[in-house]
């Protein structure tokens, strides 16, 4: 069984069973190992203790092995597939930082997103392949608030694993938290200065309206449809 509460960010807190998750369509992977690690090493404000992760590399590798041996199947629900690839993106971003630690920014690493540095099943993958070729093609723009690029301007790395059962609630909470985070976006009725994420992936957010329409779905401040839009500079410093 899995039950929910809420943490300091309003993101649902999840109590895990020790059994593998069950989607309506069949057995999937259990993400409890990743949940335990991020609960231990990621703060409610998204600060990551990479030194702590270093000490737990054995547990991290155990979860990576599970991912490598349990790729999504056709029987999995969409939410189970989303949970797999979101968690995979986040854990391999942490692994990339650990493999190159200490670094001050992910951009100090050569080709961090294009490098095929991990294997799932019989195939080598890169972070950008997960993001652009898998997650973005699932027609779910909120994934941009769920995946983390190890930088201050990115959406916070969640200190909970994403799960099939709680996917809708978790994605909604992640979107609301990011849009209303004043360190990421400055929003008023007549003007907004927002994250470059909304510029880089604008097409993902405009499928059912304008950027303002998308923001108003989650913003606690109602934005005028004709509000001026500017984009913030991106802080690539490591999120520790």
């Amino acid at each position: 069984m899995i039950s929910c509460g809420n943490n300091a960010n309003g993101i649902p807190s999840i109590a895990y069973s020790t059994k593998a998750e069950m989607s309506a369509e069949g057995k999937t992977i259990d993400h409890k190992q990743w949940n335990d690690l991020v609960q231990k090493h990621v703060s409610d404000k998204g600060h990551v203790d990479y030194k702590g992760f270093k000490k737990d590399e054995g547990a991290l590798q155990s979860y990576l092995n599970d991912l490598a041996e349990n790729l999504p199947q056709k029987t999995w629900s969409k939410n189970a597939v989303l949970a797999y690839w979101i968690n995979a993106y986040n854990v391999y971003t942490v692994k990339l930082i650990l493999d190159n630690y200490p670094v001050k920014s992910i951009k100090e690493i050569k080709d961090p997103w294009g490098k095929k540095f991990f294997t799932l099943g019989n195939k080598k993958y890169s972070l950008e392949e997960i993001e652009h070729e898998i997650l973005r093609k699932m027609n779910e723009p909120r994934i941009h608030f769920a995946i983390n690029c190890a930088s201050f301007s990115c959406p916070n790395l969640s200190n909970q694993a994403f799960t099939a059962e709680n996917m809708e609630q978790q994605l909604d909470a992640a979107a609301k938290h990011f849009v209303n985070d004043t360190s990421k976006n400055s929003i008023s009725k007549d003007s907004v200065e927002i994250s470059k994420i909304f510029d880089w992936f604008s097409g993902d957010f405009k499928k059912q309206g304008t950027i303002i329409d998308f923001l108003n779905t989650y913003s606690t401040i109602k934005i005028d449809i004709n509000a001026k839009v500017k984009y913030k500079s991106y802080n690539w410093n490591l999120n520790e």
Side-chain angles (χ1 to χ4, degrees):
M1 295 291 292
I2 299 180
S3 59
C4 294
N6 289 290
N7 71 6
N9 287 339
I11 296 174
S13 300
I14 301 166
Y16 285 76
S17 70
T18 57
K19 296 180 180 179
E21 289 181 16
M22 296 294 293
S23 71
E25 292 80 6
K27 186 176 180 180
T28 66
I29 187 172
D30 185 349
H31 298 288
K32 183 180 184 299
Q33 290 183 94
W34 179 234
N35 189 73
D36 290 345
L37 285 165
V38 290
Q39 284 274 293
K40 187 176 179 181
H41 299 303
V42 182
S43 75
D44 282 346
K45 293 185 177 180
H47 296 293
V48 181
D49 178 11
Y50 290 103
K51 292 178 182 177
F53 265 115
K54 270 280 191 187
K55 295 176 182 177
D56 271 338
E57 281 190 297
L60 185 73
Q61 187 60 51
S62 177
Y63 178 62
L64 297 179
N65 293 343
D66 278 354
L67 290 175
E69 295 166 5
N70 295 280
L71 271 75
Q73 303 298 313
K74 291 180 180 179
T75 55
W76 289 22
S77 68
K78 178 181 178 180
N79 283 349
V81 176
L82 279 168
Y84 178 95
W85 289 113
I86 289 170
N87 291 330
Y89 186 97
N90 287 337
V91 69
Y92 276 108
T93 297
V94 169
K95 179 72 163 57
L96 179 67
I97 297 300
L98 295 181
D99 288 348
N100 292 275
Y101 198 80
V103 290
K104 293 182 179 179
S105 169
I106 192 172
K107 297 191 83 172
E108 292 180 3
I109 302 168
K110 183 178 180 181
D111 195 19
W113 297 288
K115 181 191 307 181
K116 293 190 175 186
F117 70 95
F118 55 98
T119 302
L120 299 170
N122 297 316
K123 181 181 176 182
K124 284 191 169 292
Y125 287 86
S126 66
L127 292 172
E128 68 179 14
E129 186 170 2
I130 292 179
E131 181 177 10
H132 301 302
E133 299 303 318
I134 300 173
L135 285 171
R136 291 183 66 199
K137 289 185 176 180
M138 294 183 72
N139 196 32
E140 177 46 80
R142 292 173 297 176
I143 61 101
H144 292 293
F145 314 122
I147 57 176
N148 175 266
C149 64
S151 307
F152 272 119
S153 284
C154 292
N156 291 350
L157 176 61
S158 176
N159 61 3
Q160 296 163 5
F162 283 81
T163 67
E165 288 82 356
N166 297 285
M167 182 58 60
E168 183 64 26
Q169 188 178 4
Q170 288 179 301
L171 288 177
D172 241 18
K176 288 175 183 175
H177 181 72
F178 182 77
V179 168
N180 293 290
D181 185 342
T182 56
S183 71
K184 318 287 189 186
N185 304 286
S186 299
I187 294 175
S188 67
K189 179 179 179 295
D190 299 316
S191 66
V192 296
E193 189 175 3
I194 52 178
S195 169
K196 289 285 284 185
I197 288 171
F198 293 108
D199 184 24
W200 294 331
F201 307 109
S202 61
D204 294 4
F205 300 110
K206 291 179 178 179
K207 290 182 178 179
Q208 296 183 351
T210 66
I211 289 290
I212 297 297
D213 291 329
F214 184 90
L215 292 170
N216 272 332
T217 304
Y218 303 102
S219 177
T220 57
I221 298 171
K222 183 68 175 177
I223 309 164
D224 188 88
I225 195 64
N226 295 314
K228 294 181 179 179
V229 178
K230 294 182 179 179
Y231 297 97
K232 288 180 173 287
S233 58
Y234 214 78
N235 183 351
W236 289 103
N237 288 334
L238 196 65
N239 58 341
E240 64 180 349

